[in-house]
Amino acid sequence: MSAITVFSAKKIITMNPARPTVTHVAVRDGKIIATGTIDDILGWGDYSLDDSFKEKVIMPGLVEGHCHLMAGGIWKFIYVGYQDRVDPDGNDWPGVKTLEDVQARLADAEAKLGPDEPLVAWGFDPIFLMDRRLDKTDLDAVSSSRPIAVMHSNFHLMTVNSTSLSLANYVADMDIEGIAIGPDGTPNGELQEMAAMFPIMRRLGINFREVGRSRESVIDFGKVCNRVGVTTAADLINDLPDEDVAEMTDITNGSDYPIRLMSLLNGLAQPAEETSARALELKKKCTDKLRLGAVKIVTDGSIQGFTARLRWPYHYNGAPNGIWNIAPEQLNELVAILNEAGVQMHIHTNGDEAIEVALDALEMAKIQKNRPDLIHVLQHCQMADRAQFRKMKRLGVAANLFANHLYYFGDKHYELTMGPDRALRMDACQSAIDYGVTFTIHSDAPVTPMAPLFTAWCAVNRLTESGRTLGEYEKITVAEALEAITLGAAATLQMDHEIGSIEVGKWADFAILEDDPETIGAEKLKDVGIWGTVLAGEKHKIP
Amino acid sequence: MKIREKPLPMTVLAGFLGAGKTTVVNHLLRHAGGRRIMVLVNDFGELPIDEELIATKEENILTLANGCACCSMGGDLYAAFSAALDFIPPPDHLLIEASGVAEPKRIANFARAEPDLAMNGIVTVVDALNYENARSDARLSEILKNQIQTAHMLLLNKCDLVGSQDIERHKKALRKLNKSAPVLTISNGILAADIFFGIENPMPGSNPAAENEHHHSHESNFSRWSFKTEGAIDKTGLREILETLPSSVLRLKGIFKSLEDGQLWAVHKVGSYVDFSHLTTPDNFSGKTGFVAIGLSSSNLTEIMDKAFASLEE
Ligand SMILES: [Zn+2]
Ligand SMILES: [Zn+2]
């Protein structure tokens, strides 16, 4: 029989209502064998005591239920965002607060590049677009010979310099949507949407898919998770060809890889039957640390991009309704086929019409064949109203709410996209609780930074970037938010029998905290210090 | 910067679910006339493309998954277009079978922006059987309208399955939404490849048999018109003429010397879309300049074209 290690801590928050807080947790073979006081544990036999966390607080390893591997790979490019960030290797990237800061950051990076390398930056914040927009002349000042591309934080816009423009022959007004024209009648460097950005990306070699699936990205992704206390994360869309699965298996098997990784198959890349067959095949390739077999389906676009599908009265500013990625009729078919086959679905739905259509599809599929073994999840689910939460409850459908939106895009939703009524109830965590809907909250990193305690802070305080409180009623308590980022997320990944709480039989996956999130105060939840994590009993201190 | 030697012509085939896009694709592949066609499939709801028509499936058919840019960072679009552009051997034509809910213009914009692609038009298939039904679904009516409005050519398919009164009613409805695009009535997705892909060889004279002669394609009554001219042509005037041609002129291609800069230009027109481009590498150029058009033979194409181009020569 292998040895027992007992970790002691100032406080252990278990998420197990039968023993909510304890001082000791005993681990054997990577799993929790006992919790309680040292006396409670003694009966299990010999143990070695590890008291390195005696001044720290332990909680279940945090679970990020919706993010992307790109959150690791994106750091290959230069960060020019407004908020302070730390890269996977622990380097500080202070937020750039003015256009001059942006230029200085770029000039700095430019000086370190080889002669033929393009300069690519990411995370540029729309806050800079309030008065004067960044344009090619700002970037020409950084370099007039090296191609430069600055990706905006929403990934829908980029600004490039004159060298990049001429590479793509963007030298005159070609009357193409998405290529902005300056006062002199020539492209000013701002490019909108993929069609306009593609020629530049192709010539500069900015290939996000390759970046995201690269070995370094998967490794860096693990580091990003570790820094924020995450021990299980779901990569929400992937093509998952065999060679990538083999590589991901190899990387995650490494004892130094600090997380359990779930990766979802793109459900719109092949006919429904093929998706279903591939998902079932992938399910057989699961390991303790790599989870496969679930499918992602994208129905609409994004609210901030005005591409989400909204019900009447549509967009607050009168913008036309958004786009479908799959026709409702076709979704019905796909959902029915996957449900019947026993494949778990995570359905991207931002607008309330997309939510309605997805719920109708799930309802029909469940009438055809009830699969109580499956919990399907609406991802983002931002505009759901209370009737839709009641329907989710009725259908046994879970929600992963995009709480980070409250902070990052809440003002925009209040003023432009949804208007006050719907903005005040967006990402309605309290409604989910009211109706007993299984739910979690997410970052969608790299769209917004991964940090579940920040995401929890968003759900608890509902503060926007400008300081507005976005809907008093939908605020949840700290305890509820902590459950959402552990057990709640684990449930949406159908892993709540293995992770999400510190209970006998579950994996010994812990977040090791410097402060107590239960007592630090709701407004400071995002500031809880993180030492690192424990995965299956192994310590992973943030380097 | 062009990476390819010659831009790859790209046509977007749009149309709502079940309208018969794949039938059209299958027919075009069967009658490609030696063109190497790469198909980028963005719709997984329709019948699959006939596998017999494709030498090796992996090689000539690429798939383009749908996704929200916020989740995929546009990675799918990037991968699909770069695969098509880097493909060896290079195809002669890129045909994108857009998904039933795609805005074809968004896809067509890739061809307009990318120097290695040449925009060859948006063709939208409309289901004569189910059109009115689909238009009445509030969740889809806008996108269907968008697909019709942004088309350069409209194919009213399944016309063998509806009465002539219905066809006329649909045609009227389509013209109300899109005045400039020709509406072709077809059945079983049957359409001449020249009409879909454009005229293969724009240089009149290189195919003497076809010159100045009415040509009847095997599927339907289309005629061909051509015009040889050595003289320099006023580009602005030409654009005006092309833009005012009736919609019965389906496609036009030409090479001419410009009065403004004395250089050689290529022009191509599909529906209301007129595109001029500098003829940069005329190495295989026959030296002959002129224009070729295809139109509905019922419309007196020769008369229309001769009249339009007469004003140009003055
Ligand atoms: Zn996402
Ligand atoms: Zn998304």
Side-chain angles (χ1 to χ4, degrees):
Chain A
M1 209 181 326
S2 45
I4 294 175
T5 303
V6 173
F7 294 100
S8 65
K10 193 159 77 184
K11 178 181 179 185
I12 300 175
I13 303 167
T14 67
M15 297 289 154
N16 170 13
R19 286 207 128 154
T21 54
V22 294
T23 52
H24 293 76
V25 56
V27 177
R28 175 190 279 167
D29 296 330
K31 293 196 169 163
I32 297 158
I33 185 168
T35 65
T37 61
I38 198 72
D39 293 335
D40 295 332
I41 288 168
L42 277 175
W44 289 100
D46 290 346
Y47 64 88
S48 59
L49 181 71
D50 184 333
D51 66 355
S52 45
F53 303 142
K54 67 173 187 288
E55 296 305 320
K56 316 222 179 279
V57 173
I58 298 181
M59 69 177 283
L62 308 182
V63 182
E64 172 56 83
H66 184 149
C67 57
H68 301 275
L69 287 177
M70 262 296 286
I74 193 79
W75 287 98
K76 177 177 180 246
F77 307 121
I78 305 300
Y79 176 68
V80 289
Y82 190 75
Q83 311 282 345
D84 298 348
R85 297 282 293 267
V86 181
D87 72 18
D89 293 315
N91 303 302
D92 285 318
W93 292 85
V96 281
K97 306 292 181 192
T98 64
L99 282 186
E100 289 68 40
D101 285 354
V102 174
Q103 286 174 313
R105 170 76 47 90
L106 291 172
D108 214 41
E110 205 271 341
K112 291 176 194 140
L113 288 174
D116 295 324
E117 285 177 273
L119 175 56
V120 184
W122 69 285
F124 184 77
D125 199 287
I127 207 162
F128 291 126
L129 302 179
M130 298 300 180
D131 32 87
R132 192 174 75 74
R133 297 177 86 88
L134 180 77
D135 69 17
K136 64 180 175 189
T137 41
D138 299 309
L139 300 179
D140 289 345
V142 176
S143 174
S144 56
S145 55
R146 187 192 297 281
I148 301 177
V150 175
M151 199 78 189
H152 295 215
S153 57
N154 62 10
F155 292 98
H156 289 279
L157 269 176
M158 76 178 357
T159 308
V160 304
N161 67 347
S162 298
T163 310
S164 295
L165 286 173
S166 56
L167 279 178
N169 294 358
Y170 287 179
V171 285
D173 184 356
M174 299 181 286
D175 189 27
I176 296 175
E177 225 175 293
I179 304 179
I181 301 298
D184 65 348
T186 66
N188 67 8
E190 190 173 301
L191 307 172
Q192 189 163 14
E193 294 305 330
M194 205 50 199
M197 300 191 297
F198 173 76
I200 306 278
M201 293 170 79
R202 179 162 173 250
R203 285 160 183 79
L204 268 56
I206 309 171
N207 184 341
F208 284 127
R209 178 192 286 200
E210 289 310 306
V211 169
R213 65 191 277 227
S214 69
R215 193 175 177 90
E216 304 79 66
S217 182
V218 180
I219 292 169
D220 280 350
F221 178 80
K223 296 180 190 170
V224 166
C225 293
N226 176 241
R227 294 197 160 269
V228 293
V230 167
T231 51
T232 297
D235 163 39
L236 251 274
I237 198 156
N238 203 308
D239 290 317
L240 295 173
D242 283 334
E243 64 268 30
D244 289 29
V245 172
E247 177 138 275
M248 285 158 90
T249 308
D250 179 56
I251 294 170
T252 52
N253 270 342
S255 60
D256 54 342
Y257 198 69
I259 59 161
R260 301 180 199 283
L261 175 63
M262 178 175 278
S263 190
L264 271 63
L265 177 68
N266 184 352
L268 297 187
Q270 57 280 309
E273 281 81 8
E274 280 177 38
T275 301
S276 159
R278 179 63 179 158
L280 295 174
E281 189 177 285
L282 285 167
K283 201 171 181 175
K284 292 186 199 134
K285 299 183 192 234
C286 282
T287 67
D288 285 345
K289 287 174 74 182
L290 180 65
R291 298 311 174 96
L292 305 165
V295 164
K296 167 82 173 283
I297 298 167
V298 181
T299 64
D300 66 345
S302 71
I303 305 171
Q304 71 274 26
F306 297 98
T307 50
R309 285 297 305 194
L310 275 56
R311 293 185 302 195
W312 187 89
Y314 315 111
H315 285 115
Y316 190 47
N317 71 346
N321 208 345
I323 54 152
W324 292 112
N325 282 296
I326 178 167
E329 191 188 329
Q330 228 174 330
L331 180 73
N332 292 344
E333 226 181 281
L334 177 60
V335 166
I337 288 170
L338 293 177
N339 180 69
E340 158 101 41
V343 175
Q344 192 204 17
M345 285 171 267
H346 291 257
I347 308 179
H348 162 125
T349 54
N350 265 310
D352 50 2
E353 190 182 44
I355 294 165
E356 178 177 278
V357 161
L359 285 174
D360 285 349
L362 288 163
E363 183 174 44
M364 278 185 273
K366 283 172 177 260
I367 290 169
Q368 273 176 43
K369 181 159 187 176
N370 189 23
R371 293 284 316 220
D373 54 330
L374 293 178
I375 182 165
H376 302 302
V377 186
L378 296 188
Q379 290 290 340
H380 303 323
C381 197
Q382 298 209 67
M383 289 183 73
D385 64 12
R386 285 168 71 84
Q388 290 177 323
F389 279 101
R390 281 191 291 270
K391 184 159 179 173
M392 281 179 239
K393 175 62 184 172
R394 211 160 65 230
L395 296 175
V397 168
N400 189 351
L401 304 167
F402 201 165
N404 281 19
H405 247 253
L406 295 162
Y407 179 77
Y408 285 105
F409 303 98
D411 291 316
K412 194 173 177 189
H413 294 325
Y414 190 93
E415 288 153 17
L416 286 175
T417 66
M418 303 182 201
D421 280 291
R422 292 174 293 177
L424 293 177
R425 64 139 211 256
M426 63 181 279
D427 296 297
C429 298
Q430 183 58 48
S431 292
I433 293 171
D434 289 346
Y435 296 117
V437 172
T438 297
F439 81 103
T440 181
I441 47 183
H442 68 277
S443 69
D444 204 8
V447 176
T448 73
M450 189 197 302
L453 286 166
F454 171 81
T455 307
W457 174 87
C458 290
V460 167
N461 297 286
R462 294 183 70 89
L463 281 175
T464 67
E465 211 164 18
S466 74
R468 171 188 278 134
T469 299
L470 210 57
E472 198 62 44
Y473 182 77
E474 295 295 346
K475 285 181 177 177
I476 57 174
T477 66
V478 169
E480 289 161 340
L482 294 179
E483 182 167 334
I485 58 173
T486 52
L487 263 183
T492 65
L493 304 180
Q494 300 199 130
M495 289 177 74
D496 53 319
H497 56 299
E498 292 180 78
I499 59 166
S501 61
I502 300 179
E503 276 183 78
V504 173
K506 289 196 177 184
W507 288 109
D509 295 355
F510 312 137
I512 311 298
L513 311 175
E514 305 286 359
D515 309 289
D516 181 355
E518 290 185 322
T519 59
I520 193 170
E523 66 291 344
K524 288 201 191 126
L525 194 52
K526 64 181 166 54
D527 305 318
V528 167
I530 296 168
W531 174 91
T533 60
V534 167
L535 189 83
E538 297 298 324
K539 293 193 259 187
H540 296 272
K541 184 181 191 309
I542 297 171
Chain B
M1 182 179 78
K2 289 188 180 182
I3 298 169
R4 279 173 62 99
E5 217 168 286
K6 200 169 101 193
L8 174 63
M10 173 183 126
T11 311
V12 181
L13 179 62
F16 191 60
L17 193 67
K21 292 191 296 281
T22 313
T23 339
V24 173
V25 173
N26 282 336
H27 180 81
L28 290 169
L29 290 177
R30 205 173 286 129
H31 300 275
R35 294 177 180 90
R36 277 196 310 272
I37 296 159
M38 165 150 289
V39 186
L40 195 55
V41 183
N42 180 224
D43 194 331
F44 306 102
E46 292 219 3
L47 297 162
I49 289 171
D50 276 2
E51 297 211 13
E52 305 152 35
L53 298 174
I54 295 132
T56 37
K57 192 177 177 226
E58 263 56 47
E59 283 177 16
N60 295 300
I61 299 228
L62 297 170
T63 56
L64 168 55
N66 277 322
C68 148
C70 78
C71 277
S72 67
M73 283 90 220
D76 299 325
L77 280 163
Y78 182 102
F81 277 99
S82 64
L85 283 168
D86 299 339
F87 198 80
I88 307 241
D92 299 319
H93 206 103
L94 177 61
L95 163 55
I96 301 190
E97 186 188 347
S99 97
V101 285
E103 284 180 35
K105 208 176 156 200
R106 283 189 194 230
I107 302 176
N109 269 337
F110 274 83
R112 297 197 57 212
E114 169 56 55
D116 284 334
L117 288 171
M119 159 73 163
N120 196 50
I122 297 169
V123 180
T124 298
V125 193
V126 177
D127 184 346
L129 265 182
N130 195 38
Y131 168 70
E132 277 157 352
N133 205 356
R135 278 280 281 158
S136 66
D137 182 344
R139 299 180 304 201
L140 297 166
S141 60
E142 303 141 71
I143 184 63
L144 198 54
K145 191 168 145 197
N146 173 294
Q147 289 172 353
I148 292 164
Q149 283 174 326
T150 55
H152 302 117
M153 195 184 292
L154 289 161
L155 307 179
L156 189 60
N157 193 20
K158 305 188 190 174
C159 283
D160 55 329
L161 303 177
V162 295
S164 56
Q165 277 181 329
D166 289 338
I167 294 178
E168 282 317 307
R169 197 177 65 251
H170 293 329
K171 275 178 136 177
K172 224 170 122 190
L174 294 177
R175 284 205 194 96
K176 223 168 131 189
L177 289 174
N178 185 335
K179 283 181 191 65
S180 60
V183 182
L184 301 183
T185 48
I186 62 169
S187 303
N188 301 313
I190 294 170
L191 176 75
D194 267 6
I195 305 218
F196 187 86
F197 294 114
I199 301 143
E200 184 79 330
N201 198 333
M203 281 81 78
S206 51
N207 180 8
E211 195 184 351
N212 285 329
E213 160 189 73
H214 287 234
H215 172 82
H216 294 275
S217 89
H218 67 289
E219 281 103 355
S220 183
N221 293 322
F222 299 108
S223 21
R224 202 175 267 261
W225 166 91
S226 64
F227 174 65
K228 255 197 289 187
T229 180
E230 310 268 296
I233 286 172
D234 168 31
K235 219 170 94 207
T236 325
L238 179 61
R239 179 180 281 277
E240 257 167 53
I241 286 168
L242 297 183
E243 279 173 353
T244 48
L245 283 174
S247 63
S248 59
V249 181
L250 304 175
R251 280 196 176 268
L252 177 137
K253 236 178 193 182
I255 293 174
F256 65 96
K257 198 156 103 196
S258 156
L259 199 62
E260 284 96 326
D261 57 12
Q263 297 192 325
L264 283 175
W265 285 77
V267 61
H268 115 256
K269 170 189 156 76
V270 50
S272 59
Y273 181 73
V274 177
D275 180 55
F276 287 92
S277 57
H278 236 133
L279 208 64
T280 39
T281 48
D283 8 309
N284 60 347
F285 178 53
S286 63
K288 301 217 169 80
T289 46
F291 303 87
V292 184
I294 302 183
L296 300 174
S297 42
S298 57
S299 70
N300 266 326
L301 180 73
T302 315
E303 208 173 292
I304 293 167
M305 295 304 297
D306 283 349
K307 202 170 145 213
F309 273 71
S311 67
L312 190 70
E313 282 203 296
E314 278 153 20

